[in-house]
Amino acid sequence: FPPLTEIDLSYIAGFFDGEGSVTICNNNNKVVPRGISPNHALHVSIGNTDPSVLLWLHAIFGGSLAYRRPRKDNHRNVAQWVLGTAKALPFLRIIYPFLRMKREQVAGAIRYQESKRRRGPERVAKETLEWRELQRERIRSLNGRAHIE
């Protein structure tokens, strides 16, 4: 990444806290020669009606940028910036110290991604798949939790 100041990182983390999401997707329908392979993938995304910050993040961290039409006539177009597995981990690591609201989700996502080994011919153990699914469900639960007490 290009050098980012502490102010830049604080801003990015705050923007992510307010507008971003971290998820572990479960794509169980991937067909491989020996049957169906469970596949979990980490995704990070931020959506906003003003694409300026998302364009800046895209220039720094890569990923993909898409524009979506509104679902209702009185809503504006939304830009969405997405990082997949390989690029999500370095992004989450760099903003983690500055997060407030999504620290727990991001900590779980970092642990999850760091636990994955590089591709290889070995099958993933059942216990590992169960642990990955637990992490996915935990982050999903944290994402849906009310923050007002």
Side-chain angles (χ1 to χ4, degrees), residues 105-126:
Q105 290 97 315
V106 169
I110 290 171
R111 278 193 309 274
Y112 161 80
Q113 193 59 40
E114 287 176 342
S115 76
K116 293 187 80 173
R117 63 174 169 73
R118 299 259 181 221
R119 291 183 183 176
E122 304 88 33
R123 286 184 160 230
V124 178
K126 181 180 176 187

Side-chain angles (χ1 to χ4, degrees), residues 38-112:
N39 180 24
H40 293 85
L42 175 64
H43 287 162
V44 168
S45 67
I46 303 176
N48 202 279
T49 56
D50 181 348
S52 61
V53 174
L54 303 180
L55 289 165
W56 177 56
L57 293 171
H58 183 260
I60 295 168
F61 298 102
S64 62
L65 193 57
Y67 296 90
R68 305 208 190 300
R69 292 184 185 181
R71 293 182 186 168
K72 296 182 179 180
D73 290 339
N74 62 338
H75 290 182
R76 296 188 292 177
N77 289 340
V78 174
Q80 186 172 25
W81 174 65
V82 179
L83 287 177
T85 300
K87 293 182 179 181
L89 182 59
F91 171 76
L92 293 176
R93 281 183 180 147
I94 200 168
I95 67 166
Y96 179 76
F98 303 94
L99 291 170
R100 298 281 173 101
M101 293 171 51
K102 290 187 169 72
R103 278 183 78 80
E104 204 171 341
Q105 290 97 315
V106 169
I110 290 171
R111 278 193 309 274
Y112 161 80

